[in-house]
Amino acid sequence: MLKAIHHVAIICSDYQRSKAFYHQLLKLPILAEHYRAERDSWKLDLQLPDGSQLELFSFPSPPPRPNQPEAQGLRHLAFVVEDVARVKAYLEQHGVAVEPIRIDPYTDKAFTFFQDPDGLPLELYQA
């Protein structure tokens, strides 16, 4: 029935800042970008290497995402990487705060967390 995740949609508070973060810093190629005048909203489609996509949206005055304590809903977005330590170092060199690397006790895989410009928790998970 379900085969894969096609895309994940993110509403950002500052479209240009989030576009730079995901496209320039995280190096996700742009598939399409559209301004929807009737909604005063941008929509940006970004490609991940496995074929899945991230959609970035802007909307006028979106409410902030509750963070602490964690609220119901999507907890975080995890990206597969070959080397968590290498990506962590890259992000830190570009001013992104990254948590210490931990080992998943169930899989023995390395992982860590960081946040996008709006505080959305993102995970790096070693393949």
Side-chain angles (χ1 to χ4, degrees):
M1 192 161 89
L2 302 179
K3 296 181 181 180
I5 292 176
H6 180 267
H7 69 269
V8 173
I10 298 170
I11 297 173
C12 46
S13 66
D14 182 324
Y15 178 74
Q16 294 302 329
R17 180 179 66 174
S18 291
K19 178 181 175 181
F21 180 83
Y22 286 98
H23 173 58
Q24 294 171 351
L25 181 67
L26 297 184
K27 303 184 185 300
L28 298 180
I30 294 174
L31 293 173
E33 183 174 33
H34 303 283
Y35 180 71
R36 303 172 310 166
E38 71 280 2
R39 294 181 176 191
D40 189 21
S41 170
W42 283 96
K43 179 181 184 288
L44 180 68
D45 298 325
L46 299 162
Q47 182 76 54
L48 281 99
D50 70 352
S52 61
Q53 299 175 22
L54 283 182
E55 291 180 342
L56 292 185
F57 289 92
S58 71
F59 289 104
S61 303
R65 177 186 189 275
N67 198 20
Q68 297 295 332
E70 293 187 56
Q72 286 182 328
L74 182 65
R75 184 174 184 192
H76 63 265
L77 176 58
F79 296 103
V80 174
V81 297
E82 290 182 18
D83 186 338
V84 169
R86 189 179 83 232
V87 178
K88 178 182 188 297
Y90 167 81
L91 291 170
E92 290 173 334
Q93 288 170 0
H94 289 85
V96 177
V98 182
E99 293 181 7
I101 295 173
R102 296 180 272 166
I103 302 298
D104 185 318
Y106 303 108
T107 65
D108 290 324
K109 302 285 187 174
F111 70 99
T112 190
F113 287 90
F114 63 108
Q115 294 182 352
D116 83 348
D118 289 312
L120 179 66
L122 302 174
E123 179 180 357
L124 303 173
Y125 194 86
Q126 192 154 313

